[in-house]
Each structure stands twice: as C-alpha cells, then as structure tokens.
Amino acid sequence: QVQLVESGGGLVQAGGSLTLSCAASGNTFNINTIAWYRQAPGMQRELVATINNDGSQYVADSVKDRFTISRDNAKNTVYLQINTLKLEDTAVYYCHADLTGLPTEFGPWGRGTHVTVSP
C-alpha cells in the first residue's frame, strides 16, 4: 500500500509562486512514477507533470515555462513549483503514483490540495 498526501495549496495573487508537496508513505519502493494532475472547476482532470525513479521528467507544454517538478528521495516527497501564477492555474492539484505490477489507472491518488489564484 502507498499513501499520498498533498500540501502547499492556498490563496495566492496572480504573478506569485507556490510550491506544492506530495509526500508518499507505505511501500514507497513500489513507486515508479509520481504524477501531478490538476482539475479546474467544471473541467476534466489534466496531467501537469511527472517524475520517474530515474529522474526523468515530463512537464506539459502548456505550463513548462512556469512549472518545475522535483523530488527529495530521502523525504519520499515530490514537489511542484509553480511560478508566475495565473488565474487559470486555479484548480485542485492531485498527485498520483504509478506502482510496479499495477496498471497505472489503479495507482493511488492523494486527496488533493486547492490552489486559488486571485487577481
């Protein structure tokens, strides 16, 4: 079992920065990839960024100039740094784990952390 807990969300003014955290616990040795998704009000959940065990990363084209994904293996935590926040970044941000031996769609999700960007 792997559990994920997101934190770091809040109310931020446009143009500001925020760093979200995804802390993993349990059988973390089974984790291959941690992904960040976000879901804006009334919208579908979208993939924002991923980071693999080998350190390779993916960041969606729409945000790659402002979003950075990183990890601290000692803390079993993955971070998503968001710079130059825009109103359209308002969403619930979730992390998801891809586990060894389990189809991706069955991997665990965190409960999400809310990010609200104000004008």
Side-chain angles (χ1 to χ4, degrees):
Q1 294 272 0
V2 171
Q3 296 79 41
L4 303 174
V5 177
E6 302 93 337
S7 62
L11 176 63
V12 186
Q13 277 194 319
S17 299
L18 207 58
T19 299
L20 307 181
S21 300
C22 173
S25 62
N27 296 333
T28 57
F29 54 86
N30 280 332
I31 297 174
N32 296 318
T33 301
I34 292 286
W36 279 101
Y37 289 77
R38 67 182 180 182
Q39 187 166 18
M43 305 291 286
Q44 287 189 333
R45 193 172 295 189
E46 64 169 339
L47 177 64
V48 173
T50 67
I51 189 164
N52 299 320
N53 276 347
D54 62 3
S56 58
Q57 303 171 12
Y58 162 83
V59 180
D61 286 341
S62 59
V63 298
K64 67 190 318 176
D65 58 337
R66 300 185 296 115
F67 286 31
T68 303
I69 190 169
S70 62
R71 66 192 300 158
D72 184 333
N73 290 330
K75 296 182 179 179
N76 289 320
T77 300
V78 170
Y79 303 97
L80 183 69
Q81 182 176 345
I82 309 174
N83 296 322
T84 317
L85 279 154
K86 301 179 178 181
L87 297 180
E88 53 263 40
D89 294 325
T90 294
V92 180
Y93 286 72
Y94 299 91
C95 59
H96 173 269
D98 177 41
L99 304 181
T100 300
L102 195 67
T104 299
E105 60 266 33
F106 295 131
W109 291 88
R111 293 189 174 185
T113 186
H114 290 252
V115 173
T116 302
V117 183
S118 64

